Amino acid sequence: MKLRILIPLAAALGLASSAALAGMPVLKGIGGDFSMQSSRGDTVSLTDFRGKVVMMFFGYTNCADICPTTMAHVSQLMQRMPDDERSRIQVLFVSIDSDYDTPAHLNKYLSYFDPSFIGLVDERAKIDQVAALYHADYSKLADDKVTTEYKKLSLEAKDAGAKGYLYSHTAKIFVLDPKGRVRGFFYTGTPLDEMQTELSALLAAPAAG
């Protein structure tokens, strides 16, 4: 599966259907700057990562399948990147679960995949605002908490009996260029070779591009 612009979204944003994958055109009408609480204990803004390529994913730590699989895939990608390029890439995990995920909890969860990954979470209104900017749809599946399969990555003994909400959410990994502009999407099924090629191309592009 290649990094691609979804056809319905491309049409909605007025992008030409012939837009080529090569060059990863800037997607208009999606994205924007924001600030949230981070897993490192401070408040970070998207502008803090100017000059870096950002891969941003919306999910939650109690997710039993898509989230851990995606983070593992991205972790494999990061391990393949040359050191000079790896230092110019930032992975952001935006939690959609303000009821369960705290900055400290996100930090422990992401450390299983890569210590450089940064988790972001905030009050529900802020999460909804950021999700709307990126067309990152999500919804709570039920109002009752349930025991989840996240426990295979249990961080503490007390988590064993913990319950949380289940969510449906987008599986897109948003790819932002060094200017903070959305350039396309990856998915868990996107081959690592293709992901590496696309990120290297973005990092090598002229600053004025």
Side-chain angles (χ1 to χ4, degrees):
M1 184 182 299
K2 291 181 177 292
L3 178 69
R4 67 181 185 268
I5 303 169
L6 296 181
I7 297 303
L9 178 59
L13 300 178
L15 298 174
S17 59
S18 60
L21 176 64
M24 297 178 65
V26 176
L27 303 189
K28 303 296 184 180
I30 179 172
D33 293 328
F34 62 87
S35 297
M36 298 183 77
Q37 298 298 310
S38 88
S39 57
R40 296 184 174 178
D42 57 1
T43 299
V44 300
S45 300
L46 187 61
T47 53
D48 295 337
F49 308 108
R50 289 295 187 266
K52 292 187 175 184
V53 166
V54 171
M55 287 186 288
M56 184 165 63
F57 183 78
F58 290 78
Y60 65 115
T61 64
N62 264 323
C63 179
D65 40 41
I66 295 176
C67 295
T69 301
T70 300
M71 288 298 99
H73 193 62
V74 173
S75 177
Q76 292 177 32
L77 170 64
M78 293 293 282
Q79 292 172 22
R80 293 165 59 106
M81 302 301 297
D83 290 344
D84 61 325
E85 294 185 350
R86 180 186 173 96
S87 66
R88 298 168 57 206
I89 299 170
Q90 181 61 58
V91 176
L92 300 178
F93 182 97
V94 181
S95 174
I96 57 174
D97 187 359
S98 60
D99 296 304
Y100 188 88
D101 290 339
T102 63
H105 187 71
L106 280 169
N107 187 56
K108 292 180 180 179
Y109 175 80
L110 293 173
S111 69
Y112 278 98
F113 303 102
D114 191 303
S116 72
F117 292 2
I118 297 177
L120 302 175
V121 70
D122 218 301
E123 59 186 20
R124 176 62 55 196
K126 177 63 70 68
I127 294 173
D128 288 345
Q129 177 186 13
V130 176
L133 281 174
Y134 288 84
H135 302 244
D137 297 333
Y138 77 92
S139 61
K140 187 183 293 185
L141 294 180
D143 288 331
D144 295 326
K145 292 184 177 181
V146 298
T147 301
T148 74
E149 295 301 320
Y150 159 67
K151 305 316 167 227
K152 61 189 174 184
L153 283 178
S154 183
L155 303 175
E156 299 175 4
K158 67 182 180 62
D159 285 338
K163 293 185 178 183
Y165 295 110
L166 295 180
Y167 291 84
S168 171
H169 61 90
T170 180
K172 296 175 183 175
I173 304 167
F174 296 81
V175 181
L176 285 65
D177 67 18
K179 288 189 174 182
R181 302 171 300 186
V182 178
R183 302 296 289 266
F185 316 111
F186 290 141
Y187 296 87
T188 298
T190 307
L192 293 173
D193 286 344
E194 294 181 14
M195 296 170 76
Q196 182 175 358
T197 296
E198 298 295 350
L199 292 189
S200 295
L202 282 178
L203 291 169

